[in-house]
Amino acid sequence: MDAQKILEYIRQSENYHEQIVHTEELPAKEASFAELNENLHPHLENYLKDKGITKLFTHQVTAIEKVAQGQNVVVVTPTASGKTMCYNLPVLNHILNNPKGRALYIFPSKSLSQDQMAAVEDFNTEVKVAVYDGDTPDDLKPELREKTSIIITNPDMIHQGILPNHLKWHNFFSNLKYIVIDELHSYRGVFGTHVGHIIRRLRRICEHYGSKPQFIMCSATIANPKQHAERLTGLPVSLIDNNGAPQGAKKFVLWRPPSKRPYIQDVIWLFSLLIALRTRTITFSRARQTTERILRHTKKLLQEKLPHKNLHNKVVSYRGGYLARERRAIEEALFKGTVYGVVSTNALELGIDVGELEACIIAGYPGTIASTWQQAGRVGRRHKDSLVIFIAVQNPLDQYFIRKKEALFTKPTEQALVAPDNPYILLGHVLCAAHELPIKPQDFSLWGEIFPDLLYLLEEDGEIVQSEGSYYYIGGTYPASRVNIRSSSLASFQLKDKSSGNRLVGTLDGHRALSEAHPGAVYMHQGETYLVKDLDLENKHCYLNKVDVDYYTMVKRDKETEIIEINKKRPLLTHMLYSGNLKVTTRVTGYIKKHEATGQVLGGGELDLPEEILETQGMWVTFDPTVIEEAKGYYLNLMGGLHALEHASIGLLPLFAMCDRNDIGGLSIGAHPQTGLPTVFIHDAYDGGVGFSETAYSCFEDLLEKTLEAIKECECEDGCPNCIYSPKCSNFNRPLDKEAAIYLLHRLLGKEYTPRVENNKIIINSTALKNSLKRFK
Amino acid sequence: MTLLSRLKDIKAKNEEPGKVQIPQKKSPLDLGGVEINNSFGNYYLIEKEYSLANLTFPAVSKELLTRNLRLLQGIGPVTEREMREQGIDNINQLSGEVRWQYEVEIVSECILKGKIKELRRRGACDYELLSFFKKDDLVFLDIESTGLWANQPLFLVGILYKDGGKLKLQQYLARNLQEEKPLLADLYKKLRNFKVMVTYNGKKFDAPYIEGRWVEHRFFYRLKHYQIDLLYHARRHFKGKFPNCRLITLEEYLLNFKREGDIPGYLIPQTYYKFVKSGDPALIKDIIRHNALDLVSLARVLYIVQPCINAKDFIAATK
């Protein structure tokens, strides 16, 4: 059934209440081909011929030629455009012609590694390829190191297993010609910064063995692919984005669920409908639990409505942790038509071929525009028309895309950020590097200015020693095991389930433990609810009991922000904007219990926990003092306005810097002790910072424009989760004044503010103010 | 103090003008050895002699191997026991049986031709295999390094071997890390003279460490010695009986000897670097002494390769 008909069918349904806000028609695109200057190895030519590929797409040809010229490249093209050919062809071509040559493929996850091995094996060449990761049996390893031409692995393994043992890999490193990094955009933030250092360590080891590998990288569409690739590798990189792959026409629907109904009901209805129409559909949800709920209810609905068609047995779920074999079975079932629908977490989003899907439901913004398009790219891979339905949930970002209909379809604004100069993250890698190979002064240039200072610091601590100009590691522990590349500098807490003999349930980042796993907290982990019994700060253990409760908990924090250093500043009309280093001191002082269904406060408690210090990057704006009197004149609650402005702008920052709400913190204050003025702070939630707030500083006006739009155009009266509420606010979203935020945003942007007037009287709009006025009446 | 403020202090310190470090003058080192030159540079060699009485080399006859029925593939502990009950205690007694004929031939040939690897694969123990060697084939070895992983340089290799009627100790010392490469080059030449390497935890540590350093310096040599790691034998005999199986514990219990003022292993890397910086011979002397003691003790406890230790020794051990 074609997309147009499906949409008509949906519109006629009794469940339809004008949810479709917009339909973007994405036209079909013809393929554009190019010719290679030089022939590939006959084996590859034959392979392509056998596959019916007579010509290569333009971007593939550009990639092969630039790589042949010795350039580092980053290929940025949509999903399913034959990206893997851009590296597999030059790599295999080189190794077929030079059997000693070696290549290293880096993927962010193990499952992707397995898929890629299959893809290389499909070429059916003599080139040996193997996955080398944490699951590789020890007795196979020596042979793999010696004989395998293409090693596929992940950053964790390079960091912990390969680099520290480079002596065993001397043959591999001596002949290493290409390093392939796919899914480049996923190496961002803290994790990306770690990976950037691992790549530099890798380059240093290669140099030691006399090789100088070239980088071939692939990324989803982001605003800064070239810059990001260059910052990750520390090398000049050439951008390839002349996509020549064909595309079928696509209808991209923006869907707003009715305000009083949970969005998941629409998801279930649409999914069932598409299955009933025999449309092969994939539904993406944001969380594992939601995935299972959608599956369960869809099956139920299909069984109720169409019991004879056996359709309820034709939907399956898919999430991370499945084996390659199981995934392949699902893919095959979709292909054959024994399954019509799959509901998945974002695990299926990355580089896995699910073949001939016709429709895609994106249930909630997946966090980045890049992910949205990767999900949308799962359907309509050939010349067929396809349908994508983007369902907005209650959250400022989702609502932003619903309001700003063109935002998803124009040039991306979001940047992948890494912070190579963050000393907290770099420190561990300095140790690792010194352990791998003594650090010589000529190595300093691989890292930034801060590098020699960190060496000095580590020498003071007795971890390394300088001897005749080089730095040597002298510690007795394995430094790579001290650096967790999937989290920031703080050691993590172990979560132990008391109700099942202290079984390890998972781990929790150090700086989140106090606020999420304090005694009395309800902690959610993989769909299970636990009650925190005890938090052992010294041993970093957290003891939980599995419970079934109908409430959740929120903490109350005291937070202080001290300005340590101003790095940059600029005026913003009559206000001032700063960027610099902050010291954020937080103390969790208590918590409340809220009823899950009604949000009613059921009680709570005081907590006596130590304070936590975060040294990080931040940006802040100080307001022209005239806003104080002026806000009063308009009967606005200034504090509520600052607070709302902080929430809303943090909520929208991910449009510019690829991060989520947990990566950023904020504070707003009527008169900050150091600035003496009304001030709003936005800071990175990691020690040393990763550049999120710095991005906010440089694109602040843009961010404010979008924030103003979001608040002004939100249909709520006094603020709601779609605009100014924050799910992680430590003051329980009080005070908030939507109108005051609108006023402040007008002032910051130099726009004329017109108070809301009705019958020549200023409307008092703020709940906080209304409440306080009531008291005086 | 937080990381950022420490870095700020360091920056300020670096910017202070006029602070030039005056390098300390190093006086020529006198440790009773000589400087050796080769095509890769210099290093330092210390030699010393000990009485041959320290070497507890057990006299083993090849007879012993023929009495190990389990060298035949197909004979496990159960079959062995049954056979011994039937009075079979030599593989040659099985040579007439069709079932074992072929196996007996293989093992006999291995014994005849000294196919040590194959015999070891079949389960021959260090003690039995020592029958292929004489005292002159042995080298005791112990290294001192700047870390626990072969990525970090080593600076002292001590070896002990029979030299005429004496036991000779040679200590190859890198007085700075530039001397590691010439040291490693000569070490290889020296080690080629021996067939058996005796160490304490050398299978896991010393041997791969040296090989790792050979890779690092692009020599790519391999150690081909028959390896006897006495730590395995110490564990076999004394685990649970002694407080631990460290070499100094063995000295105390087996040799009735307690080291005084010995440098603990974890201090060795930093002490060495201090020596490189200051040239103070007292620092390195401690390490050299430590290394020599280790080697002599190894020679003195070599007898623990025996399957069982006789009662007299045990009395000394548990006194």
Side-chain angles (χ1 to χ4, degrees), chain A residues 490 493 510-519 534-541 555-560 584-590 606-614:
Chain A
L490 281 163
F493 277 72
H511 62 250
R512 283 167 72 176
L514 291 181
S515 46
E516 286 179 30
H518 56 81
D534 191 19
L535 185 66
D536 178 351
L537 294 168
E538 204 169 309
N539 299 313
K540 301 211 181 285
H541 287 166
V555 291
K556 197 166 154 14
R557 275 175 284 219
D558 277 347
K559 195 165 166 182
E560 262 173 50
V584 183
T585 312
T586 330
R587 211 167 74 85
V588 175
T589 55
E606 300 287 304
L607 290 169
D608 182 23
L609 291 170
E611 59 181 31
E612 274 185 294
I613 293 173
L614 180 72

Side-chain angles (χ1 to χ4, degrees), chain A residues 323-336:
Chain A
L323 298 172
R325 201 171 348 107
E326 298 170 295
R327 279 203 320 263
R328 205 126 305 126
I330 295 177
E331 287 161 20
E332 214 175 327
L334 279 164
F335 189 79
K336 283 194 194 143

Side-chain angles (χ1 to χ4, degrees), chain A residues 48 113-114 218 277 304 331 425 444 541 624 698 737:
Chain A
L48 292 175
S113 300
Q114 293 294 345
C218 296
L277 294 171
E304 273 170 20
E331 287 161 20
I425 299 175
F444 292 6
H541 287 166
D624 177 340
S698 47
D737 185 338

